Amino acid sequence: MRIKVCGITRAADLQGLTDNQVDYAGFIFYEKSPRFAANRIDARTVRETTGIRKVGVFVNATAEQIQRTVADYALDMVQLHGDESPAFCAAIRETVPVIKAFRIGDNADWQTLLTPYVPVTDYFLFDTASVKGYGGTGERFNWELLQQYPFDHPFLLSGGITPEDADIIRELELPALFAVDINSKFEDAPGIKNMEKVTLFIDGIHKITK
């Protein structure tokens, strides 16, 4: 089980993730987010950090903005968390792997929602639909819906995951579950990670997967 910690805004937290051998660090490039990374962690710090894959999170950004940020921060992957079309995903994917995020509510028509995106993305990410905005809400959708997920396409699970959820996640029988994405429940303040909670969760997830 791979782990992605999103909402990184500090060099110390990024180093903490590498020290804990976290697989992915997420940096949010959406100005309305309280975890907006561009004015809180400099590009050189991210660019020169090794030992972890760096994911840029964008919401309805232009292709030019995404490509410029990928180059500036040496991003390994992008996560498209807005209303991006399959054609847009395909264009971005020509230069960098793409995670397409979807906000899940009380029900999910997986075939209709996802089929156009399967051939133009590398991964999906499922987050909780909320009137609060695009992700980082700390709310969880009904994970039972994932039992009807009809594809082999790998996905990341997000939305309201807490440090105590490691046992529950380990018991999920979801073959396409590629990684868990944690964020707001592992913070002392928006963008300020509590590394003790992160470490506890990592240890819990890896108990039976090592």
Side-chain angles (χ1 to χ4, degrees):
M1 178 69 65
R2 296 164 181 85
I3 296 172
K4 173 172 172 276
V5 181
C6 203
I8 299 301
T9 64
R10 302 193 303 172
D13 290 344
L14 179 57
Q15 184 60 50
L17 299 189
T18 61
D19 291 344
N20 279 282
Q21 299 182 314
V22 170
D23 302 284
Y24 300 91
F27 304 88
I28 298 175
F29 297 99
Y30 176 53
E31 291 186 2
K32 294 181 181 180
S33 171
R35 301 169 183 85
F36 181 52
N39 59 1
R40 296 176 70 179
I41 186 169
D42 66 271
R44 181 177 179 178
T45 296
V46 178
R47 191 167 59 242
E48 294 182 352
T49 297
T50 60
I52 192 168
R53 302 199 73 191
K54 294 161 280 189
V55 183
V57 180
F58 300 89
V59 178
N60 299 328
T62 66
E64 292 75 16
Q65 177 188 349
I66 293 171
Q67 290 162 355
R68 183 173 63 249
T69 307
V70 167
D72 288 348
Y73 287 80
L75 300 176
D76 300 294
M77 191 177 296
V78 300
Q79 178 178 316
L80 303 179
H81 217 296
D83 307 304
E84 298 86 3
S85 68
F88 187 88
C89 293
I92 297 299
R93 192 172 179 239
E94 291 181 4
T95 56
V96 66
V98 169
I99 302 168
K100 179 67 183 85
F102 296 89
R103 299 182 296 282
I104 307 302
D106 295 333
N107 51 66
D109 184 346
W110 298 115
Q111 292 282 359
T112 301
L113 181 67
L114 303 178
T115 297
Y117 290 90
V118 170
V120 295
T121 62
D122 297 275
Y123 306 96
F124 294 143
L125 181 145
F126 301 131
D127 201 354
T128 306
S130 173
V131 295
K132 295 180 182 178
Y134 293 94
T137 63
E139 300 173 358
R140 184 192 296 183
F141 67 92
N142 179 10
W143 291 351
E144 291 295 323
L145 295 172
L146 294 169
Q147 297 295 336
Q148 281 73 52
Y149 180 73
F151 302 104
D152 295 327
H153 205 61
F155 67 84
L156 293 81
L157 179 61
S158 186
I161 295 172
T162 72
E164 294 76 31
D165 284 336
D167 290 342
I168 298 171
I169 291 169
R170 285 202 317 271
E171 293 173 2
L172 293 175
E173 296 182 0
L174 300 168
L177 176 56
F178 173 77
V180 288
D181 182 299
I182 61 175
N183 190 347
S184 60
K185 298 294 188 180
F186 295 80
E187 294 182 328
D188 295 322
I192 309 299
K193 300 305 178 192
N194 182 314
M195 294 308 300
E196 184 176 340
K197 290 182 178 180
V198 172
T199 302
L200 181 68
F201 181 79
I202 292 167
D203 291 344
I205 284 290
H206 286 165
K207 266 197 301 195
I208 65 168
T209 57
K210 285 183 177 178

